[in-house]
Amino acid sequence: MVETRFISNYLLAQPYIVCRNRVSWRNVCKYKPFLVVSDLKMASPSIKIVKNQQVSRSFPLQLHRVVPVIARRGAAVVLELSLLAASALVPYTIGWYAKDRLQVEPVPLNPMVAATEEAIAKTLAYPISRLNRQVPPLTNLFWCGAIAIPIFVSSWQLYLLGKTGQTTPKRWFGIRAIDPSGAPPGLIRVFLREVVGRWGFPLGTAYLVWRYTGAFPDFGILVGLAGFMLLAESGSALFHSRRRTLHDRFSGTYCLAGNKFLPYSQSFDNLSSSGNNQSVILEVENGWNSAGGESSNGQNYIPKVTTILLTSPTPQAPQKNLWWWMRQKPGLTLLILSFAGMMSVFGTFVVTQIYIQSQVNRRDLKQQNNQVFLALVKQLGSKSATATEERQGAILAIARIDDSRAVYFLVDLLGQEKTPSLIDTIGAALVSKGAEALPPLRHLNQSLANDRETLLKQGTPEEQKLVAWRQRAVNRAIAKIITIYRDSIHQADLSRIDLGEVKQGSVIFKPIFDNIDLSGINFRSASLTKISLTNSRFYGSGEDGHFGTFDDWIADLSGADLKEADLTGSILKKVLMNRTNFIRATLNRANLSDSYLIGANLSSAELISADLSRAILENASLTGAKLGEAKFNFSNLRRANLGEVKAVRSNFTFANLTESNWQGADLSGANLSNAKLRDADLSYTKLVGANLSKANLQNAKLHKANLSLVDLRGANLAGTDFLGATFAPPPPLNTNEFIKKQPTAIVSGAKLQGVDFTKAKNLDPEQIQYICTHGGVYSGCR
């Protein structure tokens, strides 16, 4: 028994040992010098010699244990993802709650949060709101935490995995990741295993397939592809003899149950690939034999010894690499190095000469252009009889020179020139320079607009006319550049520019931008009065050619003056138009869906058949506007002023009309079902045939409103004031016509079946009688 323990301890100390099947101990003595066991007495000794590929089957993950380990691995991955998602979602949700609930002074969105949001949106082609970038300070704090906490949690778990072989969820489920020697994998292997193999390769492949195969920008397809790739990568373990996933094989790691171990000093891969080694498996089985030792109760037994693998080491051949090859062939190595050195010197000399010559040529060309430019500038000062023609030629020649000074020189010249014909020539020359002329022209436009306002008060008529001529030339040049170079100006800055109508005596200019793509241009606080923009587009698909993605071109008209402008049929979807002036503007059939019109002035504007679905019109003014058959479904008109509007057959379903003012409005046939009209003022409105079913009219005012033929079924009328409101249609007028017209069919009255009026206010007896007669619910009804 002592000798058996000694042999077991000796074998367990050897480098190539693995536990598996049971065999016997016979002929073990012939494997000297490893062991000497001649004095042992054992039952049925035997030795099995197996090939190395059979040794690989002695991997501890037997088939009957594969399913439990895989199940635990899957559960650990799900828990790891849940932990990471919770670390981001919890602070993000708290920050969002604080954003909506806290009534504090907002601050600009944290730059780190804004940059992260834009990077995610750009990668996933997801549009982000360019409005309301002001949030409470507490929101900034929690949203920064939503970025920092997941980074900390994932870094900590990866560190634990590298140092201990277990993340927190893996420890809970008894799963361990190890390297071929049985030690923890280390940080480099963990990076290759998790960042590159498990997540980087599957998600990167899914993203490339989604981005470049026509599935872009459908985010649902990306989610499906990502899930499929991750499932395929994890499912690759089912097709490997040792149940290793692709990321395990890529990083050289093993994932086992917590109580399993690998060979001490060499991996199974090395054993399997060693063609000269032979392996021996020995096993001693528990049993009873009269030749064995004697136990305390007088019975003979053989101690239990698990399977043992003995492999005789063989010398490894030296690895053949570049250094070995250089040592074997020193002469050829020296020749190659010498030739490479000579070629590098020669190449450096050639490249240097080419660079020097290119610089000389560039300097000579620049000098020639400079001489030509100076000569042309000198020609502009000519005072000969043909000075005008010479100056015109010099102006056009300067525009053709490839010189960065040409544009600014021509713009300065335009601001000083006094000859009308030369002013027009300079404007035409600047048009040939394209989009690069827009910034200096914009500054000159603003300067001339200020000069014109000043001269209107204290200038002479000649000075006023000259400034108007210059402004007309500038505006004409800008309009032509926008029209001709429309594909290269989507990011142009034309803020605070004056492109309105110019009229000064005989000088008249009205810009026309009909059917022009103006998407992405910044018109913030610009003056565009009486401008024609019929069927123009202010919203484009961006460089990727897809609408609804991060790089969409969206114009900015915030604070612009579009008084009396013609925007019939224009595409203004998602455009920023906060505090924009649309007084008496024409917007018939225009698409303003999802647009931002907070505080906009649309008084007396025409919006017939316009689409304002989901538009934000908080505090907007639409007094006297024509809204016939316009679409306002799901729009936000909170605290908007809609007095005297003509909204016949308009659609306001699910619109937010809280605290809005509709005094004197005509809403005949309008659809206001499910609308929020809480605290709205509908006094003196005409609601003949309007649909107010399921609308929230809590505390609304309907003083002297015409409610004949209205549908109030399902409406919330708690606190609604019906003072002087009319439910019954007016009686037909008696006429003395000889031939009377056949009366048309009219619905008997308002649809009040089941409508609860018990909490309504200021109902007179006539109204109560009508309500009770037509199926309404009231405490006075019998």
Side-chain angles (χ1 to χ4, degrees):
M1 183 173 181
V2 175
E3 293 174 353
T4 303
R5 187 184 301 112
F6 169 77
I7 294 170
S8 300
N9 293 337
Y10 180 84
L11 292 175
L12 290 175
Q14 299 309 306
Y16 308 126
I17 301 173
V18 67
C19 300
R20 180 83 189 241
N21 300 328
R22 294 173 295 181
V23 281
S24 31
W25 282 72
R26 184 175 16 182
N27 300 327
V28 71
C29 297
K30 70 178 183 179
Y31 280 90
K32 297 176 182 180
F34 285 91
L35 294 172
V36 178
V37 292
S38 57
D39 296 332
L40 288 178
K41 299 178 181 179
M42 297 186 178
S44 304
S46 64
I47 295 177
K48 289 184 179 179
I49 301 178
V50 296
K51 296 182 179 179
N52 289 324
Q53 65 182 23
Q54 291 176 316
V55 174
S56 66
R57 295 178 184 173
S58 64
F59 193 76
L61 291 178
Q62 300 181 19
L63 183 60
H64 66 278
R65 292 191 177 184
V66 168
V67 176
V69 172
I70 289 181
R72 280 183 282 172
R73 289 185 66 175
V77 171
V78 171
L79 196 57
E80 289 167 351
L81 291 176
S82 301
L83 181 64
L84 188 63
S87 65
L89 291 177
V90 170
Y92 179 80
T93 304
I94 297 174
W96 191 267
Y97 180 83
K99 178 177 179 293
D100 291 341
R101 299 288 181 175
L102 293 182
Q103 301 296 327
V104 296
E105 186 68 22
V107 297
L109 188 65
N110 185 277
M112 180 180 69
V113 178
T116 303
E117 182 185 22
E118 291 183 4
I120 295 173
K122 188 174 183 179
T123 303
L124 301 179
Y126 191 80
I128 61 174
S129 174
R130 292 172 173 82
L131 187 70
N132 195 14
R133 310 296 283 179
Q134 303 281 326
V135 296
L138 191 62
T139 298
N140 264 338
L141 175 64
F142 278 101
W143 283 1
C144 288
I147 298 173
I149 294 175
I151 295 175
F152 172 78
V153 170
S154 57
S155 301
W156 176 246
Q157 294 300 315
L158 291 175
Y159 177 81
L160 289 177
L161 184 61
K163 293 299 182 181
T164 67
Q166 293 179 310
T167 60
T168 303
K170 280 183 171 61
R171 186 174 70 250
W172 293 342
F173 287 99
I175 301 296
R176 182 186 301 274
I178 54 178
D179 64 6
S181 65
L187 297 180
I188 296 178
R189 287 185 186 273
V190 164
F191 178 83
L192 295 175
R193 183 182 191 270
E194 299 293 328
V195 180
V196 179
R198 167 169 284 176
W199 302 109
F201 178 74
L203 296 182
T205 303
Y207 182 81
L208 292 175
V209 171
W210 172 72
R211 187 66 175 82
Y212 298 105
T213 58
F216 179 87
D218 194 323
F219 185 71
I221 296 178
L222 176 60
V223 173
L225 285 173
F228 173 77
M229 294 300 297
L230 291 172
L231 186 62
E233 196 280 333
S234 299
S236 62
L238 300 174
F239 302 96
H240 192 263
S241 60
R242 299 168 193 162
R243 300 302 184 260
R244 298 176 69 195
T245 58
L246 289 177
H247 61 266
D248 279 326
R249 283 177 271 175
F250 177 74
S251 59
T253 58
Y254 297 82
C255 193
L256 308 175
N259 59 345
K260 299 295 181 181
F261 299 94
L262 281 177
Y264 173 70
S265 64
Q266 187 171 342
S267 69
F268 290 111
D269 293 334
N270 293 336
L271 285 173
S272 301
S273 61
S274 177
N276 297 325
N277 293 345
Q278 281 195 336
S279 304
V280 179
I281 296 180
L282 304 117
E283 181 188 89
V284 175
E285 185 181 24
N286 281 346
W288 302 100
N289 194 312
S290 59
E294 184 174 324
S295 65
S296 58
N297 57 5
Q299 294 180 321
N300 296 329
Y301 71 94
I302 299 175
K304 181 179 180 180
V305 179
T306 56
T307 305
I308 302 166
L309 170 66
L310 302 178
T311 304
S312 58
T314 57
Q316 295 184 353
Q319 187 177 3
K320 295 182 179 181
N321 50 26
L322 180 61
W323 176 246
W324 177 86
W325 186 87
M326 292 173 64
R327 292 177 60 187
Q328 295 295 321
K329 300 180 179 180
L332 184 58
T333 300
L334 181 61
L335 180 62
I336 293 174
L337 292 176
S338 301
F339 179 75
M342 293 173 60
M343 290 303 296
S344 62
V345 173
F346 178 74
T348 303
F349 175 77
V350 172
V351 171
T352 303
Q353 292 299 316
I354 293 174
Y355 175 77
I356 293 173
Q357 188 62 39
S358 65
Q359 292 298 315
V360 172
N361 295 339
R362 183 178 299 177
R363 185 168 57 251
D364 293 343
L365 181 61
K366 186 176 181 179
Q367 186 175 359
Q368 292 176 5
N369 289 338
N370 187 52
Q371 293 175 355
V372 172
F373 181 77
L374 294 176
L376 293 173
V377 171
K378 185 177 180 180
Q379 187 177 343
L380 288 173
S382 176
K383 297 182 180 180
S384 61
T386 60
T388 302
E389 290 78 6
E390 292 179 1
R391 294 183 69 190
Q392 285 179 341
I395 290 169
L396 296 175
I398 289 175
R400 289 193 294 268
I401 295 177
D402 186 13
D403 194 310
S404 59
R405 298 171 295 176
V407 172
Y408 292 93
F409 176 79
L410 291 174
V411 171
D412 290 340
L413 184 63
L414 179 58
Q416 301 174 17
E417 186 58 52
K418 298 181 180 180
T419 306
S421 60
L422 291 178
I423 290 175
D424 293 337
T425 301
I426 297 170
L430 286 168
V431 171
S432 65
K433 301 301 289 185
E436 65 174 309
L438 280 179
L441 281 173
R442 168 176 165 265
H443 292 300
L444 179 59
N445 173 275
Q446 295 171 349
S447 177
L448 291 173
N450 294 332
D451 293 344
R452 187 182 176 191
E453 291 180 2
T454 303
L455 292 174
L456 285 175
K457 298 178 182 178
Q458 55 187 12
T460 63
E462 291 76 12
E463 291 175 335
Q464 294 174 3
K465 185 176 181 180
L466 182 60
V467 170
W469 202 288
R470 291 171 182 166
Q471 190 174 17
R472 186 186 74 165
V474 171
N475 290 4
R476 181 180 293 175
I478 293 172
K480 288 184 176 180
I481 291 172
I482 292 174
T483 304
I484 298 172
Y485 303 96
R486 64 184 69 181
D487 294 332
S488 58
I489 60 167
H490 291 293
Q491 305 299 326
D493 183 6
L494 297 177
S495 58
R496 297 185 299 278
I497 198 171
D498 187 353
L499 281 176
E501 184 181 51
V502 178
K503 187 175 182 181
Q504 182 67 40
S506 60
V507 181
I508 301 175
F509 177 72
K510 181 179 179 180
I512 297 176
F513 292 105
D514 297 343
N515 302 294
I516 299 297
D517 188 356
L518 302 171
S519 56
I521 299 178
N522 181 5
F523 286 108
R524 184 182 290 268
S525 302
S527 177
L528 304 169
T529 56
K530 298 183 180 181
I531 194 171
S532 179
L533 294 161
T534 304
N535 297 319
S536 295
R537 176 180 290 274
F538 293 84
Y539 171 60
S541 58
E543 296 180 358
D544 59 14
H546 295 276
F547 289 97
T549 58
F550 173 80
D551 65 344
D552 288 350
W553 290 321
I554 302 175
D556 188 351
L557 291 166
S558 299
D561 187 0
L562 284 154
K563 183 179 179 180
E564 299 182 24
D566 188 358
L567 290 147
T568 303
S570 296
I571 307 298
L572 292 156
K573 183 177 181 180
K574 296 186 178 181
V575 174
L576 301 177
M577 294 175 284
N578 298 328
R579 300 176 304 281
T580 301
N581 184 5
F582 286 103
I583 295 177
R584 293 188 297 278
T586 303
L587 291 154
N588 298 332
R589 301 185 305 280
N591 185 353
L592 296 99
S593 58
D594 300 290
S595 59
Y596 299 90
L597 288 153
I598 300 173
N601 191 347
L602 290 150
S603 300
S604 302
E606 293 187 12
L607 290 149
I608 299 173
S609 300
D611 185 359
L612 290 101
S613 305
R614 300 174 300 279
I616 300 176
L617 293 124
E618 289 187 14
N619 299 302
S621 176
L622 291 94
T623 305
K626 297 179 181 179
L627 310 178
E629 299 184 351
K631 298 177 182 178
F632 286 89
N633 47 301
F634 296 96
S635 60
N636 186 352
L637 286 150
R638 184 178 181 184
R639 297 198 182 106
N641 189 356
L642 297 107
E644 305 290 339
V645 298
K646 303 296 186 291
V648 179
R649 294 187 299 276
S650 296
N651 186 359
F652 291 92
T653 56
F654 294 96
N656 183 2
L657 305 169
T658 305
E659 301 179 53
S660 56
N661 180 14
W662 298 80
Q663 291 189 25
D666 186 357
L667 289 162
S668 301
N671 189 353
L672 292 149
S673 62
N674 295 281
K676 298 177 181 178
L677 285 157
R678 183 171 181 174
D679 298 311
D681 190 352
L682 292 155
S683 303
Y684 303 97
T685 57
K686 187 176 181 181
L687 288 158
V688 178
N691 184 1
L692 285 162
S693 60
K694 299 181 181 179
N696 185 359
L697 288 158
Q698 191 174 1
N699 299 322
K701 293 180 181 179
L702 287 163
H703 295 179
K704 296 187 179 181
N706 187 349
L707 300 173
S708 58
L709 311 180
V710 72
D711 186 355
L712 287 169
R713 290 176 295 183
N716 182 358
L717 303 178
T720 306
D721 191 348
F722 287 95
L723 180 65
T726 304
F727 289 100
L733 298 175
N734 294 324
T735 63
N736 296 322
E737 296 178 0
F738 180 76
I739 300 175
K740 295 184 178 180
K741 297 181 180 179
Q742 188 71 18
T744 57
I746 299 177
V747 181
S748 61
K751 298 177 182 178
L752 307 178
Q753 294 84 357
V755 180
D756 188 359
F757 286 86
T758 55
K759 296 183 180 180
K761 297 191 302 184
N762 295 326
L763 289 170
D764 56 39
E766 185 178 351
Q767 291 172 336
I768 294 172
Q769 182 181 1
Y770 187 90
I771 291 168
C772 296
T773 304
H774 288 78
V777 178
Y778 189 70
S779 57
C781 296
R782 295 180 180 178

